[in-house]
Amino acid sequence: MKAIDLFAGFGGFSTGAKMAGVPVVWAANHWPDAVHWHSVNHPETQHACQDLQQANWAQVPAHDLLLASPCCQGHSKARGKTSGNPEHDASRSTAWAVVSAAEYHKPDFALIENVPEFMQWQLYTAWEAAMNALGYSLAPHIVDAADLGVPQNRVRLFLVASRSKSPLKLNLPKLDHVAASSFIDWEGGRWSAINKPGRAAATLERIANGRKQYGDRFVMSYYGNTKSGRCPGRPIGTITTRDRWAVIDGGCMRMLSADENLAAMSFPDWIQRPKNHRLTVHMAGNAVAPLAAMHLINAIKEAA
């Protein structure tokens, strides 16, 4: 089995495919930084930096599995159309590149990742009908990455498209949850005093509430509507494209490091990353969790 990776980003899908023993022969993204680091980590893959809606699919190698993670921001509750972001009208249309690629190559399988709200898209019915017209049956799987061994609660939609009469329901494992403490370096990082001038009152309130529940060591979302912390003995919450999670230890705190963000996403140790913290966090939060991808791809291989 060979795969291609559309909207490859930092390479979560491609890394998961490699872990599953499936070579990714071609990968593309419109973001030069992402393409560069994908090529560093996957030098055996042919790369393209382009708008995939303008792709020449005749130049793409033959493959059995199409992996795709179209832009999700236009569908998410936090950043979608109802939040007043008209540019996301264009981002939602990236899903049509999947149809275009599938029409040309007709691989046996496609695995499409997005937020669950993707299926509430006004044009989803038309998109599904287009895939059906190409001979694909679609099976939606709502998956929490924590159930597949990722130390993070990350709920995502994985659509399995198969050239079969009936939708292909994958037999996925249900693994024990991995604690956030498994990747937190309590001795490392750049710590600062919690009680320092300028610390927001809402932050101090969250920390006080967290201490009442979890003691001196816990993690906490630095923004959002949360009122407390989170036990480090359970998976961390969703990793996003900007610094979100703070680590609390006694009277000190710090944000997760770039390496901790990658570990929370289940990227293996051999992955190379940019030195820039913000860029790494952005690419990590935008990726597919590799360990989840590996289990999904293995399940497709078993069903093939």
Side-chain angles (χ1 to χ4, degrees), residues 56-189:
N56 181 354
W57 301 112
Q59 298 176 353
V60 176
H63 52 278
D64 313 287
L65 172 64
L66 185 158
L67 303 171
S69 186
C71 191
C72 67
Q73 286 89 344
H75 303 288
S76 71
K77 295 177 181 178
R79 299 179 62 190
K81 188 174 181 179
T82 57
S83 296
N85 295 307
E87 69 271 20
H88 291 323
D89 290 341
S91 78
R92 282 186 288 272
S93 70
T94 57
W96 292 104
V98 176
V99 177
S100 181
E103 180 183 17
Y104 188 92
H105 283 282
K106 295 182 172 59
D108 292 334
F109 303 98
L111 182 60
I112 301 102
E113 182 263 2
N114 214 289
V115 292
E117 291 81 8
F118 178 73
M119 295 182 68
Q120 299 170 17
W121 178 30
Q122 192 171 8
L123 294 179
Y124 176 79
T125 301
W127 184 88
E128 180 182 33
M131 292 294 289
N132 292 158
L134 296 177
Y136 290 95
S137 296
L138 301 184
H141 296 68
I142 305 295
V143 176
D144 185 346
D147 293 335
L148 296 177
V150 179
Q152 174 191 172
N153 288 121
R154 188 181 188 87
V155 177
R156 291 294 184 267
L157 165 70
F158 288 89
L159 275 169
V160 179
S162 58
R163 293 181 60 80
S164 56
K165 292 183 179 179
S166 301
L168 179 62
K169 180 65 175 177
L170 298 182
N171 183 23
L172 295 173
K174 186 69 179 287
L175 304 179
D176 292 338
H177 284 187
V178 178
S181 58
S182 67
F183 63 80
I184 294 174
D185 181 2
W186 296 98
E187 307 302 323

Side-chain angles (χ1 to χ4, degrees), residues 5-28:
D5 191 350
L6 311 188
F7 314 101
F10 191 57
F13 248 153
S14 293
T15 302
K18 180 180 287 190
M19 293 161 67
V22 174
V24 175
V25 295
W26 186 87

Side-chain angles (χ1 to χ4, degrees), residues 154 223 238-245 261 281-282 284-286:
R154 188 181 188 87
Y223 60 85
T238 303
I239 298 295
T240 63
T241 56
R242 59 190 178 111
D243 284 318
R244 179 184 184 187
W245 293 99
N261 273 273
V281 170
H282 185 104
N286 205 37

Side-chain angles (χ1 to χ4, degrees), residues 241-258:
T241 56
R242 59 190 178 111
D243 284 318
R244 179 184 184 187
W245 293 99
V247 183
I248 312 298
D249 189 5
C252 297
M253 67 181 295
R254 66 171 175 83
M255 304 305 293
L256 286 185
S257 69

